[in-house]
Amino acid sequence: MNLIIGLIAFLFMLSVIVIIHELGHFAMAKKFGVFCKEFSIGMGPALYQKEGKETTFSIRAIPFGGYVMMAGEQDGSQDESEDDWLKDVPAARRLNNIAPWKQIVIMLAGVTMNIVLAYALFTGLAMARGYVVEDAKPVVYEVVENSPAAKAGLQKDDEIIRVTNGSESIEPQRQFDVIEFIQYNPTESTYTIARGNETLDVKITPRYNKDTQTYEIGSIATSYARPIAWYEAFKVGWDDMVDSGSSIFRSLGQLVKGKGYENLSGPVGILNLTKKTTELGWMSYLSLFALISLNIGIFNLLPIPALDGGRVLILLIERITRRKINEKLVENIILASFVLLIGIFLFATYNDIAKMF
């Protein structure tokens, strides 16, 4: 039963995020007069279609992704010699013929909607809770028995002032900094500890927790909650979103360095996480909802041609060079980036399945 509830919650979450994203593209495209042939939720064969004034609204069989088919997209999906509908669309209503700044606004509208959704959820959660949990300091409150931290001799009230792993080093301001560092450096690290008036170094190798699918050393910190007025929730929601966004960008930076690929998750991992959060209650589920919406928004900003950020990059290059990039070249670059994304998707799915055993 929990799996079914988790699956429904997972599909609902992805559907809402995709609908919000595509609505952003659709609304701005319509505002600028771009002809939209189809608005689709999901991919693959159509399960349901409804004809609008000039746009077909579709629900498709594979509940991942979605799209707005706009006339004049340079992704290789349209061929005037084969697509009768495209022949009847005036040049002025094609995406590639409107002003570059309007194209950029349309491309970024989906990302903007995902970020707005995330902010609304973070703010709503803060308002519903009525309090904010202050960041836990990197100070040991409790040491788990037989954990790596216990074996290394960590004690209550020890303060972690530096963690070093090879060339990587941090001076944590909060416990989350330590936890995040461990995930990207799951081998032996040197922990510099302030204990009373003395400073000492200890070496700790984290262990993998299959239940949480994270690395940990067994050092527990504590944080404190303070009540907030309803209007403070708007700032708390913003702070939570900025903090989560910063973490996402740091994760992307680690991937560029070649670290953290084992932490990549695809649909299977997100489904498992959704199932666990639904068991914890609706607030945990909505927190995940906000985080996934923000993740998808930021991911779409990456300069990969198949994504919104990549399309914007192409437009900016054309604007700077004042030369139109060969249409066939653009199509081939976008196709190649789709292959790259599929490879990442398959690798993340493999990671998800491997973690289950």
Side-chain angles (χ1 to χ4, degrees), residues 112-130:
T112 302
M113 289 296 286
N114 283 140
I115 293 173
V116 169
L117 173 61
Y119 174 61
L121 288 169
F122 280 126
T123 300
L125 284 165
M127 202 174 290
R129 282 194 301 263

Side-chain angles (χ1 to χ4, degrees), residues 4-244:
I4 294 173
I5 293 173
L7 179 60
I8 293 171
F10 169 71
L11 293 176
F12 174 76
M13 176 174 66
L14 281 190
S15 296
V16 170
I17 291 172
V18 169
I19 289 171
I20 288 293
H21 183 96
E22 297 304 326
L23 273 176
H25 291 314
F26 182 69
M28 295 314 299
K30 297 294 283 185
K31 178 176 177 58
F32 293 135
V34 176
F35 181 87
C36 298
K37 168 67 174 171
E38 182 180 357
F39 181 99
S40 176
I41 302 302
M43 310 294 280
L47 299 178
Y48 171 81
Q49 290 188 313
K50 180 177 177 58
E51 295 292 335
K53 185 176 179 181
E54 63 178 23
T55 303
T56 301
F57 297 90
S58 306
I59 297 177
R60 296 184 175 272
I62 304 173
F64 302 118
Y67 59 86
V68 178
M69 185 183 290
M70 294 175 277
E73 287 191 273
Q74 293 177 292
D75 59 0
S77 64
Q78 298 170 17
D79 187 341
E80 191 159 344
S81 64
E82 296 179 4
D83 297 326
D84 292 334
W85 68 270
L86 191 57
K87 298 175 185 176
D88 298 326
V89 179
R93 297 202 63 194
R94 300 187 185 199
L95 180 66
N96 57 348
N97 285 333
I98 64 175
W101 73 268
K102 291 182 178 180
Q103 294 182 53
I104 290 173
V105 170
I106 292 171
M107 290 298 105
L108 294 182
V111 170
T112 302
M113 289 296 286
N114 283 140
I115 293 173
V116 169
L117 173 61
Y119 174 61
L121 288 169
F122 280 126
T123 300
L125 284 165
M127 202 174 290
R129 282 194 301 263
Y131 64 87
V132 61
V133 178
E134 304 287 1
D135 288 330
K137 299 295 182 182
V139 177
V140 178
Y141 179 76
E142 183 181 347
V143 178
V144 177
E145 189 176 351
N146 295 321
S147 67
K151 293 173 183 176
L154 258 63
Q155 301 175 9
K156 179 177 169 58
D157 296 330
D158 283 350
E159 181 181 359
I160 301 172
I161 58 177
R162 185 180 297 106
V163 188
T164 305
N165 184 295
S167 61
E168 298 282 333
S169 180
I170 61 165
E171 295 183 359
Q173 302 301 307
R174 51 188 185 159
Q175 180 68 5
F176 179 79
D177 297 334
V178 178
I179 295 170
E180 187 178 57
F181 185 85
I182 291 170
Q183 306 316 306
Y184 295 107
N185 301 276
T187 54
E188 183 182 76
S189 296
T190 299
Y191 289 71
T192 302
I193 306 298
R195 180 180 295 167
N197 294 322
E198 71 173 313
T199 300
L200 61 150
D201 290 337
V202 296
K203 295 185 182 296
I204 306 177
T205 301
R207 67 185 178 189
Y208 186 71
N209 186 324
K210 282 192 172 183
D211 292 334
T212 60
Q213 296 184 357
T214 58
Y215 290 93
E216 57 187 33
I217 63 172
S219 165
I220 300 174
T222 187
S223 54
Y224 300 93
R226 67 173 179 84
I228 59 170
W230 66 269
Y231 53 84
E232 292 181 89
F234 293 99
K235 182 180 183 304
V236 171
W238 177 261
D239 291 342
D240 286 345
M241 187 179 73
V242 170
D243 190 47
S244 297

